[in-house]
Amino acid sequence: MAGDDEIEGGNRDEEQIHYNSANLSADWPFNGTNELTNTSMSNPMSNIWDHHPTSSQNLGAFCDVNLQNNPTTSSSSLGFRKGNLLVPQRSLDMGWAPPDSAIKRGGMFLPPAASAMLPHSLSQFPADSGFIERAARLSSFSAGNFEDMINPFGNVNDSSLSPYSSRSVQGQAQEGFVGNGFKSASGDGSKDMSLPVDCGANDGSQPKQGGSGFSGNNGTGDAEYSEGGGQDGNSNEGLGSKKRRRSGQDTEYNQAKRSPQTPSDTTKNNTEVQQKADNTPSSLVNKSGGKHGKQAQSSDAQKEEYIHVRARRGQATNSHSLAERVRREKISERMKFLQDLVPGCSKVTGKAVMLDEIINYVQSLQRQVEFLSMKLATVNPRMDFNIEGLLAKDILESRLGPSGPLGFGGDMAMPYTPNQSQMAVMQAGIPGVGTSSDAVRRTINSHLMALGGGYKDHTSQVPSSWDDELHNIVQMGLNPGTPVSSQNLGSTPPGHLKAEP
Amino acid sequence: MSPPHQPTSINPNSLKIQLAYRFLHNLNNINTKRSNLDHTQINRKSHRVKVAAYASMAFVTGSRRAWSRSILRKIRNRGVLARIKKRVDHKASRVRVHHHLNARSTKRRNPSCSNPNGDYIDPSGNLGLEVKLRKLVPGAVMMDACGLLDETADYIKCLATQVEVMRTLVDLYSTI
């Protein structure tokens, strides 16, 4: 303990600089308030580096990684900084012992840093006495607990550096400290309170690595818990069973309220304990949220242990009901898509009403088809219709070839087909209403050949819209005298005409 | 044109173009096959145009969708049936074929599938709405709700495009 103070005091200034230089490179949005904490945090970190060269390197790397990983949200980065401040205080006493163990474990770099940071934070917060009390209390725990307690710090590191199983626990432990710290500090203000809260947030954002699958979830859960009650609730819902898997280390950080538990101990307790700790600070920040978070978490934790599909709060977790829920979600997703398709259905909610609208729309579309077909039959009783169809068919057969319309790229034959159909219309006008389809076809082909390449100009002007093309067809039909440049119409051998089905 | 499993991947422009060409193709076929179209009843012709429209829709969509498959099947059956009946009895078959054609759009060709559209309440409590939809969308009678909605979406998309093509053609021809 004395050594701790020594270390903290001596290296504070130096390491502050080190840390700042190292960490400022990360995108931490430092506020005025945060800078103070940041510097304090930097000191402990650099302290650790000095005292534990091996770990310091890792820690530095971790700090950078952490910092870089956390710029996503100012709150999370804030939390990280603040959390580091507070947590180290507590772990300071234990920090020096546990760092060895942590290092042994191979991943706990942060705890030493945290412990080093304690002195700074202690100096900054008027409630240092409270922290020290907790540190003492924590130090009274068994050595295994120390390791576990340190884990939260190392957890943050681990998440970024190496996949240690204690990751999640560490994060939660961190939060536990924070909560405790807040409890004692209480009067420090929102800033302090938010510090440890965000600590968890950092943790949450970090642990996405493989390791144990639940660790990531736990981290996020922790982060969310710390951030606020409302968030806690959400996070709880999202995390579900995975939170239960948290090691017992979480409980340790809940201040002297309960005996420390080994990481392998009941995860439930850990989650609950952690939630308590989280709830405390969160209650200071957001009372209702913490309660919700805890309740949600416990309820979620109790709900599913091994199922990877998350059951929402208040929902049955029977495998049948889960499958049913998945099926319902699929159906609702399709209904949403249909909503976009059917015009004027954006405000409609409810499956039955939506179905009704869809049915009406389909019926109206079918009626429209019928009406339009009747109109087409009346409007175009002549063979112009056929000729155009003939030409289109010929073009289809010649252009599309064996691939058929399905393989139709659309753009390739497009410039040709409209022109050819235009010419078809033109041709139709010339021979008049054909007597037999073959005769008409022959006439058309001959005319097409005569016209040559035809409408290269038109091909280059591929109309943007289909309507334009059709209008071009009409225009071509009305202007048979338009000069036609040579085209690949010759590529349409008359033999293709016979290939009609 | 589009992956078979994604309902949203059909490019409306390319679909429109393909539909248009296919529709013209079918119209032409119908007009050429039955040369008595032009001067016979408008009803018959309009019905054939409608059949051509659905056929072009189904052809463009191909076998990817159940509704297109069912339409194609109906058309082929109708064609085969018509040919058989023509051989048996020329006049009578034509009448029967027309009757069948008239009934094609909303019912399955198979007479055994004639379900009365009762408003009985489904187990799902949909008041028979779903059944109605199943009847409207061809080939979706024996499908689960998820697939039914998929088919409906695709069918609506294709139907809307076909309507657009036909409307454009009508405008085109009416302005000539």
Side-chain angles (χ1 to χ4, degrees), chain B residues 79-96:
Chain B
V80 168
L81 203 65
R83 268 179 237 134
I84 291 173
K85 287 188 176 176
K86 267 182 188 171
R87 280 182 223 137
V88 171
D89 185 351
H90 189 68
K91 285 184 183 176
S93 70
R94 202 176 294 176
V95 171
R96 268 184 236 129

Side-chain angles (χ1 to χ4, degrees), chain A residues 327 330-332 334-335 337-338 341-342 351-353 355-356 358-363 365-397 404-411 413-414 416-418 421 425 437 441 464 466-467 469-474 478 500-501, chain B residues 1 7-8 13-14 16-18 20-25 27-33 38-39 42-43 45-47 49-51 53-54 57 59-64 105-106 124-126 128-130 132-133 135-138 145-150 152-157 159-160 162-176:
Chain A
R327 178 181 156 275
K330 264 206 284 184
I331 287 181
S332 66
R334 304 255 161 84
M335 293 285 283
F337 176 68
L338 274 169
L341 217 52
V342 177
K351 204 170 149 192
V353 184
L355 265 182
D356 208 26
I358 291 169
I359 288 172
N360 287 339
Y361 188 60
V362 169
Q363 275 170 348
L365 278 179
Q366 283 174 347
R367 274 195 296 262
Q368 267 176 27
V369 168
E370 205 165 332
F371 171 72
L372 284 172
S373 71
M374 192 167 309
K375 218 172 166 190
L376 264 179
T378 56
V379 159
N380 191 18
R382 318 186 92 210
M383 289 298 278
D384 297 343
F385 196 68
N386 294 338
I387 290 162
E388 193 168 4
L390 272 171
L391 199 56
K393 183 185 56 174
D394 294 340
I395 292 158
L396 282 173
E397 288 170 348
L406 293 179
F408 183 55
D411 297 334
M414 270 269 301
Y416 293 103
T417 46
S421 52
V425 173
S437 57
R441 258 178 259 130
S464 58
W466 172 238
D467 291 346
E469 294 162 11
L470 287 179
H471 286 302
N472 284 343
I473 295 170
V474 177
L478 294 174
E500 298 174 19
Chain B
M1 180 168 71
T8 57
N13 278 339
S14 77
K16 217 194 302 187
I17 292 157
Q18 294 184 38
Y21 280 116
R22 186 66 202 183
F23 182 48
L24 291 172
H25 177 93
L27 280 174
N28 187 47
N29 281 352
I30 285 177
N31 285 334
T32 56
K33 273 182 188 172
D38 305 288
H39 44 274
I42 296 288
N43 288 343
K45 188 172 180 192
S46 74
H47 185 81
V49 170
K50 186 168 75 171
V51 168
Y54 281 110
M57 272 173 58
F59 196 89
V60 165
T61 310
S63 306
R64 283 196 310 268
S105 62
T106 54
S124 61
N126 275 345
L129 280 179
E130 218 170 289
K132 244 199 225 175
L133 188 60
K135 287 189 195 172
L136 280 180
V137 177
C146 221
L148 173 69
L149 292 178
D150 261 345
T152 311
D154 199 75
Y155 186 60
I156 285 177
K157 206 183 278 187
L159 252 185
Q162 176 71 39
V163 163
E164 204 175 328
V165 166
M166 288 174 75
R167 197 175 284 144
T168 313
L169 273 176
V170 166
D171 292 342
L172 190 70
Y173 280 116
S174 61
T175 58
I176 293 178

Side-chain angles (χ1 to χ4, degrees), chain A residues 193-206:
Chain A
M193 286 168 31
S194 58
L195 287 179
V197 170
D198 295 332
C199 231
N202 277 340
D203 198 17
S205 63
Q206 297 278 335

Side-chain angles (χ1 to χ4, degrees), chain A residues 416-459:
Chain A
Y416 293 103
T417 46
N419 298 328
Q420 289 171 349
S421 52
Q422 293 173 11
M423 285 195 279
V425 173
M426 213 176 66
Q427 301 304 328
I430 295 169
V433 177
T435 54
S436 72
S437 57
D438 290 337
V440 170
R441 258 178 259 130
R442 266 180 259 124
T443 320
I444 292 171
N445 278 336
S446 62
H447 280 276
L448 288 177
M449 301 296 188
L451 292 172
Y455 305 80
K456 259 192 187 171
D457 300 337
H458 296 279
T459 52

